[in-house]
Amino acid sequence: MVIVLHREATLDQRHAVESRLRDLGFQVVYSPNGSQVTMAAVGEGTMPPLDEMRALPGVAEVRRIPSPFKLASRTFRTESSVVKVGDVEIGGKSIVLMAGPCTIESEEQLVKTGAAVRAAGARIMRGGAFKPRTSPYSFQGLGEEGLKLMRRVADMHGLLVISEVMDKSQIALMDKYVDIFQVGARNMQNYPLLRELGSVERPVLVKRGLAATVDEWLMSAEYVMSGGNDKVLVCERGIRAYETYTRNTLDLNAVAVAKSISHLPVIVDPSHAAGIRDKVPPLARAAIAAGADGLLVEVHYDPEKAICDGPQSLFPDQFTELSGQIRVIAEAVGRTLQS
Ligand code: PEP
Ligand code: MN
């Protein structure tokens, strides 16, 4: 349930509404939205008749939140959220490019790839130090050594850092090096991890699980938000369908749906959706046309030699060309490209 107070509501009236909600067993969360005080009653409380709440002094409006996710819903917050990281804003008018290798391999790899993606307009560098590999025998990532390298190289190029956290035990370590925590598709329903990320200061990007519905995906975002962290981004990265030509199937329906039922910024990862280098740019272009707020793209200075996901990693020149196209498409849909 969302309660909006009158602009003239007094502090005492606000406290009275809040304590009524707490007496009913709800947790009260304020929306940072707009000039009118907006609060959501979430949790296991007993729902009162809405008219009873409407009758309380100072109350302007009471609405039920029909979706299972509450804080992530547009009913709670009608304006799109803008997540600020350093001097980058995600979710506003301006589109953000995040790019880099699948996995951190070496200083040379990061320096060359970082320089190329920054020159092409990326503001955030991606790269995994802890890799969720299908096989336990595959390269598992460089861990802290990789994070240190990425932080240094990103700072050198004026880039921010996004990297995947696989387990809650990695949060404290990663917090020293990253700007955004990425929750991978395989961990979208790792609830202890999501809960722990609810109490970090940094933004969290939640990827959609391979077989997750939009509601399940947004419920994972809700887990993080319910812990007090409202800096959440959601990322569509392709779902498993019956088609085998591509690695996954990019669900642009989900982008349009998530944008309408949630206020959270929606990012698209066309790389893991396509799995094939040449198919990444068309999907990326379509994602921006469909309303995505940013892209997460795998780029490697020498993808043929990449340890992980080389076949889907763009050459730097391809990324530069794509960035130019994204700029044009962004303008066509009333947006700009942050660069
Ligand atoms: C990744 O971004 O490197 C990754 C492992 O992606 P996903 O979790 O979407 O498979
Ligand atoms: Mn990858």
Side-chain angles (χ1 to χ4, degrees), residues 101-103 126-128 131-132 164 182-187 207-208 210 235 237-238 247-248 269 272 296 298 308-309 312:
C102 178
T103 186
R126 62 147 292 146
K131 295 302 301 176
E164 177 165 353
Q182 174 176 326
V183 175
R186 290 157 193 80
N187 260 320
K207 283 195 157 195
R208 183 178 179 194
L210 274 69
C235 176
R237 46 77 75 203
R247 186 173 175 183
N248 289 290
D269 170 351
H272 291 85
L296 180 69
E298 286 186 341
C308 182
D309 285 349
Q312 69 192 32

Side-chain angles (χ1 to χ4, degrees), residues 164-172 174 181-200 204-206 220 223-224 229:
E164 177 165 353
V165 58
M166 282 174 58
D167 187 85
K168 63 180 187 165
S169 64
Q170 296 161 349
I171 294 176
M174 290 188 66
F181 286 100
Q182 174 176 326
V183 175
R186 290 157 193 80
N187 260 320
M188 189 204 83
Q189 289 179 318
N190 179 341
Y191 298 121
L193 173 64
L194 297 172
R195 275 212 186 281
E196 201 74 19
L197 289 168
S199 50
V200 304
V204 177
L205 175 140
V206 179
S220 293
Y223 257 90
V224 179
N229 186 351

Side-chain angles (χ1 to χ4, degrees), residues 53-122:
M53 297 309 296
R54 286 188 186 113
L56 292 178
V59 171
E61 206 185 317
V62 179
R63 294 188 296 269
R64 263 187 220 287
I65 306 179
S67 53
F69 46 92
K70 308 295 177 190
L71 307 179
S73 74
R74 269 213 196 259
T75 315
F76 175 51
R77 184 170 182 168
T78 49
E79 287 166 26
S80 296
S81 291
V82 177
V83 172
K84 292 194 177 69
V85 212
D87 62 345
V88 175
E89 289 192 350
I90 310 171
K93 188 176 178 211
S94 204
I95 280 153
V96 179
L97 300 181
M98 314 182 193
C102 178
T103 186
I104 301 165
E105 299 167 8
S106 67
E107 179 157 12
E108 181 193 24
Q109 173 223 30
L110 291 181
V111 169
K112 289 186 173 164
T113 310
V117 299
R118 179 69 196 99

